[in-house]
Amino acid sequence: MIRRLIEGSLILFSWAAGLLLTLAFLTLVGFLLQKGGTSLGVNLIFGDTAPLDALLLRQQVFDGLFPAIIGTLLLIAGSMLIAIPLGIAAGIYMAEYCRGRVKTFFSLLFDILAGVPSIIVGLAGLSLTIFLHRSFSAQISTSLLISCLSLALLVLPYLIRTTQTALESIDPLIRMTAPALGASRLQNIIRVLLPNSISEIGSGIILATGRCAEDTAVIMLTGAVASAGLPRSIFSQYEALPFYIYYISSQYSGPDELRRGFGAAILLILLCAGLLLTALWMQRRLKTILLYR
Amino acid sequence: MDRPHSFTEYIFLTAAVCSGLLTAAVFLFLLIFSLPLLQNGELTDLLLSSWAPDKGMYGIYPMLMASLTLACLSLVISFPLSLGCSFVISALAPARLRRFLLSMVRLMTGIPTVVYSFAALFLLVPFMRNILGHGSGMSILTAAPVLALLIAPTMIIFFVGSFEKVPLSATLAVDALGGNPIQKLLYVMIPQAWPGIINGVLLGFGRAMGDTMISLMLAGNSVSAFNSLSQSARSLTAHIALVMAFDFDSMEFKSIFVCGLLLYIFTAILMLLLRMSTLCLSGKR
């Protein structure tokens, strides 16, 4: 009798928990859409400037999100350019060459790096800047390059782990075939193992891209500012979407700016959700596409 | 370890060693910058005194307590919710709803934290201001539910994953004996999957301790020690984010590296714990 009661109340509680979580999530997102939905449009991105002029860099955009969007895209491109080769190479080493104690030690290190809060990564970037500033040149300050380096460090353990698990989960039959036919270890990796795990590695890369796009704590310590326009070089400060949202939340001066903040939040959600869905889709589809090409 | 055989292996080895060194480098940077404070003031002093730069006190006790309180409170809210939700996903719901819920949870992991806090700032903060009746509405109580929402997907995905690993022979046996889904869950799956549940909780706690934007935007950032949950407080991570305004040589600035060091060591211990509980799991089977 008591057992029946416990079981029944557990069922009830579980459904309530699921419902509450769904409702909380939908309320937050719905609230954003309702507040910011009206601001979506060309005007949100380019302000009063003609879109073509802005895109061709003929005119600065002052009252739109254009510089922040470009800043975020540059951040993503820069950090992934650094992180992908390093992460995949280290992942290959972990899966294919590393054995025994060394492997345990390395994977513990990467786990720690993966768990370190992003603000600590930002702090490390900031201290690197101070270090360079003191020992080399007084002109060095926080910049796009430092942010890219820090963000690359943030997603590095993630890329290593995805590559490693993707390679390790390959069917032993496939793994053995090429060496049995006389292929070298490297040939096996490049011709057989990597193409076989491309969909997992690819979706890992896309998820890491999403992480770069959303992270605020790292860039607020390493060079994102509220109004910089388009960055002139990788050594200058820049604007970015997540930092813009944070800045607006505390410093907005009127309903117009606030609406732009909501618009930026929606754009960032769309970007991150889009990347996430692409990654999920890729896991399922890419393999079949590559197989039946 | 056998010696590297080829040139390409050296390249891969270098990449792995570089990545490992970067982990160590982060720690070293934090340590070097916080050394001045660790040397002249005792560590316990720093950890247990309050923050009053005008009196020469750079203690981070209030921030430490705020971080721990926030993380614990959000875990208390989030753990039952996530457990219930993972029950629904792995046992109770029909297949279609199961897929929908799982994709929603996956989508939740991709929502930027800054967006969560931005929405909560204009939705939850005015609400809390009305309920509390005083202050700005930014308090530990405001930040904790949002933080709970942030760590829920991490835990749910972990829980569901560990339920899925329960051997099919065990769950099929329950079905054969005429057990219903909730009995299967309660008497077979949970006893088998508890190490996974513990891992999920540890990871969720780590995420809650490490998150910056939610506590920075919603908890109010007051440096004084708090007496009740409805008061404003500043977490370690928010403290690091806010100190930027100071001059680089000041003691205030150096003290944030102690905060950083503390969080780093916390993460390392957490990961060791995770590693140990995973080993327990594989040793038992």
Side-chain angles (χ1 to χ4, degrees):
Chain A
M1 181 62 202
I2 292 181
R3 285 205 156 174
R4 193 52 58 83
L5 203 66
I6 293 178
E7 284 164 13
S9 51
L10 193 65
I11 293 180
L12 203 67
F13 170 76
S14 301
W15 281 107
L19 195 67
L20 186 63
L21 207 67
T22 317
L23 276 183
F25 175 65
L26 292 182
T27 312
L28 276 188
V29 174
F31 174 74
L32 276 180
L33 288 179
Q34 181 229 329
K35 281 273 182 178
T38 51
S39 69
L40 285 183
V42 184
N43 204 23
L44 174 72
I45 298 176
F46 295 106
D48 295 331
T49 321
L52 198 62
D53 284 350
L55 282 175
L56 295 174
L57 307 181
R58 269 187 261 160
Q59 228 176 337
Q60 286 255 17
V61 178
F62 290 107
D63 47 0
L65 292 173
F66 185 63
I69 293 172
I70 294 295
T72 290
L73 293 181
L74 285 176
L75 268 182
I76 291 175
S79 44
M80 294 317 278
L81 209 63
I82 303 166
I84 288 176
L86 194 59
I88 290 185
I92 293 175
Y93 180 75
M94 291 292 289
E96 299 301 315
Y97 296 99
C98 200
R99 293 288 171 266
R101 286 236 175 114
V102 185
K103 189 170 182 173
T104 325
F105 176 69
F106 267 136
S107 55
L108 181 64
L109 270 189
F110 297 148
D111 278 357
I112 293 177
L113 189 58
V116 163
S118 59
I119 189 95
I120 305 280
V121 176
L123 194 57
L126 178 64
S127 48
L128 174 71
T129 319
I130 298 173
F131 174 72
L132 292 175
H133 180 88
R134 282 189 188 149
S135 34
F136 293 107
S137 151
Q139 290 188 335
I140 296 175
S141 66
T142 54
S143 64
L144 191 59
L145 180 65
I146 298 278
S147 293
C148 286
L149 284 173
S150 314
L151 281 177
L153 183 61
L154 186 74
V155 296
L156 183 64
Y158 194 77
L159 289 173
I160 296 176
R161 191 40 62 102
T162 337
T163 313
Q164 188 191 343
T165 30
L167 288 176
E168 279 173 350
S169 62
I170 290 177
D171 190 349
L173 263 179
I174 297 176
R175 178 182 291 279
M176 305 294 196
T177 311
L181 293 170
S184 72
R185 219 171 176 184
L186 184 67
Q187 280 172 332
N188 192 25
I189 291 174
I190 293 179
R191 298 282 169 78
V192 181
L193 301 181
L194 279 183
N196 250 293
S197 50
I198 191 79
S199 64
E200 274 111 282
I201 297 179
S203 76
I205 288 175
I206 292 177
L207 288 179
T209 309
R211 195 94 173 70
C212 284
E214 68 147 328
D215 202 276
T216 324
V218 170
I219 60 174
M220 70 193 284
L221 286 186
T222 54
V225 286
S227 52
L230 292 175
R232 247 162 271 117
S233 75
I234 53 171
F235 300 111
S236 61
Q237 298 190 313
Y238 58 94
E239 292 180 40
L241 273 181
F243 186 79
Y244 182 81
I245 297 171
Y246 167 65
Y247 178 79
I248 286 293
S249 77
S250 56
Q251 311 281 339
Y252 68 94
S253 58
D256 261 8
E257 271 197 6
L258 193 58
R259 258 220 323 279
R260 221 179 298 148
F262 276 107
I266 291 178
L267 280 186
L268 194 59
I269 283 195
L270 286 180
L271 178 65
C272 290
L275 284 171
L276 196 84
L277 293 178
T278 318
L280 291 179
W281 177 82
M282 217 171 156
Q283 256 172 353
R284 245 173 266 156
R285 286 296 164 79
L286 194 63
K287 216 170 213 170
T288 44
I289 291 174
L290 282 177
L291 270 178
Y292 298 105
R293 196 166 39 174
Chain B
M1 187 176 82
D2 16 26
R3 296 176 53 85
H5 298 292
S6 61
F7 174 67
T8 45
E9 190 175 341
Y10 273 115
I11 295 182
F12 294 140
L13 174 67
T14 317
V17 170
C18 273
S19 317
L21 280 181
L22 282 171
T23 315
V26 172
F27 183 74
L28 281 182
F29 264 127
L30 294 175
L31 192 67
I32 291 172
F33 275 88
S34 57
L35 260 186
L37 266 180
L38 293 181
Q39 273 170 347
N40 57 24
E42 279 95 50
L43 187 62
T44 47
D45 237 31
L46 208 59
L47 289 184
L48 296 178
S49 67
S50 58
W51 176 262
D54 43 329
K55 288 183 208 144
M57 285 161 72
Y58 302 98
I60 50 176
Y61 179 71
M63 294 75 168
L64 185 62
M65 287 318 285
S67 267
L68 286 174
T69 316
L70 253 178
C72 288
L73 190 61
S74 61
L75 202 61
V76 165
I77 301 172
S78 193
F79 175 66
L81 280 182
S82 310
L83 205 59
C85 202
S86 69
F87 287 169
V88 171
I89 291 176
S90 40
L92 300 176
R96 255 206 193 154
L97 184 62
R98 204 175 287 194
R99 265 205 304 278
F100 167 76
L101 277 175
L102 206 55
S103 10
M104 191 194 78
V105 169
R106 287 225 180 101
L107 188 64
M108 280 171 79
T109 61
I111 303 291
T113 54
V114 69
V115 171
Y116 270 141
S117 14
F118 188 74
L121 190 63
F122 295 101
L123 195 66
L124 196 60
V125 168
F127 181 71
M128 290 305 278
R129 192 167 13 197
N130 283 340
I131 285 193
L132 297 175
H134 62 85
S136 61
M138 294 184 194
S139 66
I140 297 180
L141 268 185
T142 322
V146 187
L147 209 50
L149 194 62
L150 175 80
I151 63 176
T154 313
M155 294 207 278
I156 293 173
I157 287 176
F158 238 83
F159 295 166
V160 172
S162 62
F163 286 143
E164 269 170 10
K165 281 197 199 107
V166 172
L168 202 61
S169 55
T171 53
L172 282 179
V174 181
D175 288 341
L177 290 170
N180 56 27
I182 194 74
Q183 286 169 336
K184 181 161 71 182
L185 196 72
L186 208 53
Y187 307 123
V188 176
M189 284 162 96
I190 293 178
Q192 292 256 354
W194 67 266
I197 294 181
I198 291 184
N199 279 358
V201 169
L202 284 176
L203 267 185
F205 189 71
R207 274 213 81 182
M209 279 289 280
D211 186 77
T212 313
M213 297 322 287
I214 288 177
S215 59
L216 177 66
M217 286 164 78
L218 300 174
N221 296 324
S222 128
V223 286
S224 55
F226 58 95
N227 305 318
S228 78
L229 293 181
S230 61
Q231 277 178 357
S232 140
R234 182 190 285 200
S235 70
L236 285 174
T237 46
H239 187 58
I240 296 176
L242 284 167
V243 152
M244 273 307 283
F246 292 114
D247 151 43
F248 286 171
D249 276 321
S250 64
M251 290 299 270
E252 283 101 327
F253 189 69
K254 279 169 187 152
S255 84
I256 70 169
F257 287 95
V258 181
C259 297
L261 202 61
L262 214 59
L263 281 169
Y264 191 102
I265 293 170
F266 166 79
T267 313
I269 292 175
L270 196 74
M271 286 302 153
L272 274 173
L273 278 178
L274 267 175
R275 185 55 67 90
M276 268 151 58
S277 81
T278 316
L279 276 184
C280 275
L281 172 72
S282 56
K284 227 180 62 180
R285 292 266 163 85

